């Protein structure tokens, strides 16, 4: 928290400070961000949070993306680069960082359509009413840059090169951040376990998870 607070105090006048948080799926990004928002509030600073997940394509747009690339299994469902509305994210981040009031931040319903998800209706979006001092922007692929070596990527997965090409568009988001916090793990198998826990918790709450 104190590292984030130090960055907030260095923010230029008239603009909020943007802090990107990059961490693997299921490791507790949302919990961390919620805690930081509360700590900033206790110190008299307005902190807003946004997630890469907030800007997933609508269900229909995701289906259109999958149909346009029918042989690419990495674009069949949400999650990878290419499955976000970059323009919507850019506009939202800009408004928050410019300290505009009453900024509508999209919300995404991961349980919709049998767990395939859909953007929530606008009346369900969060409205950030007060100008913010700090913006926390989290995502598992936050800060990722394209590798750009199609031949090498094809050797890893033949579907990966196209996803990698989509990463170029996310520079519009990354360039708006003033600082980055990166959380690393020592064993990638934890990600599968954490994702399973999240799906089980969703099911226990009576909400459908991923197919």
């Amino acid at each position: 928290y104190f590292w984030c607070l130090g960055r907030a105090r260095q923010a230029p006048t008239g603009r909020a400070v943007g802090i990107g948080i990059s961490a693997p799926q299921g490791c507790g990004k949302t919990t961390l961000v919620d805690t930081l928002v509360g700590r900033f509030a206790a110190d008299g600073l307005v902190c807003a949070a946004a997630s890469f997940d907030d800007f997933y394509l609508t269900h229909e747009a995701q289906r259109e993306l999958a149909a346009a690339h029918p042989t690419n299994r990495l674009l069949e469902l949400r999650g990878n680069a290419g499955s976000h509305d970059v323009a919507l994210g850019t506009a939202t981040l800009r408004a928050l960082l410019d300290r505009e009031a009453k900024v509508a931040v999209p919300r995404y319903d991961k349980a919709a359509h049998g767990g395939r998800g859909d953007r929530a209706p606008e009346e369900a979006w969060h409205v950030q009413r007060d100008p913010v001092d700090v913006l926390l922007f989290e995502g598992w692929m936050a800060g990722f840059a394209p590798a750009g070596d199609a031949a090498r990527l094809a050797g890893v997965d033949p579907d990966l090169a196209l996803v990698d090409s989509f990463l170029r568009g996310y520079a519009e988001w990354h360039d708006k951040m003033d600082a980055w916090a990166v959380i690393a793990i020592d064993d990638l198998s934890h990600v599968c376990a954490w994702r399973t826990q999240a799906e089980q918790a969703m099911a226990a709450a009576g909400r459908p998870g991923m197919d």
Side-chain angles (χ1 to χ4, degrees):
Y1 168 70
F2 291 105
W3 178 84
C4 292
L5 181 62
R7 297 303 180 276
R9 288 174 172 166
Q10 296 170 11
T13 303
R15 184 183 184 276
V17 64
I19 299 176
I21 299 176
S22 182
Q25 293 171 312
C27 76
K29 294 185 296 297
T30 301
T31 301
L32 171 63
V33 166
D34 289 346
T35 301
L36 290 173
V37 169
R39 286 299 312 146
F40 276 116
D43 283 336
L45 294 172
V46 179
C47 178
S51 168
F52 271 51
D53 293 1
D54 295 333
F55 305 113
Y56 278 133
L57 297 172
T58 63
H59 177 67
E60 185 58 33
Q62 179 62 46
R63 291 185 62 184
E64 292 174 359
L65 175 68
H69 306 282
T71 64
N72 193 310
R73 59 184 176 77
L74 298 180
L75 296 176
E76 180 182 356
L77 303 171
R78 69 175 188 269
N80 288 309
S83 65
H84 301 84
D85 187 332
V86 174
L88 176 61
T90 298
T92 304
L93 296 176
R94 180 184 298 116
L96 290 168
L97 290 169
D98 285 347
R99 307 193 77 241
E100 295 182 13
K102 298 181 179 179
V103 178
V105 181
R107 288 292 181 259
Y108 191 84
D109 182 1
K110 294 182 179 179
H113 300 284
R116 289 179 176 262
D118 200 357
R119 187 175 300 153
E122 289 191 23
E123 56 267 24
W125 293 10
H126 170 71
V127 177
Q128 177 59 48
R129 299 194 176 280
D130 297 322
V132 304
D133 301 301
V134 184
L135 171 64
L136 303 177
F137 187 38
E138 56 92 355
W140 71 265
M141 53 175 275
F144 283 19
D149 188 337
R152 182 168 63 86
L153 292 171
V156 177
D157 188 311
D159 293 335
L160 196 54
L162 179 59
V163 172
D164 183 70
S165 71
F166 282 128
L167 270 175
R168 298 188 188 96
Y170 292 78
E172 294 186 25
W173 296 0
H174 301 151
D175 290 348
K176 294 187 181 304
M177 298 298 105
D178 300 290
W180 286 91
V182 179
I183 300 173
I185 57 176
D186 58 2
D187 187 345
L188 289 177
S189 67
H190 294 324
V191 175
C192 292
W194 292 333
R195 283 303 312 150
T196 299
Q197 290 174 352
E199 294 299 323
Q200 290 172 340
M202 189 177 292
R207 305 179 71 216
M210 291 287 285
D211 291 342

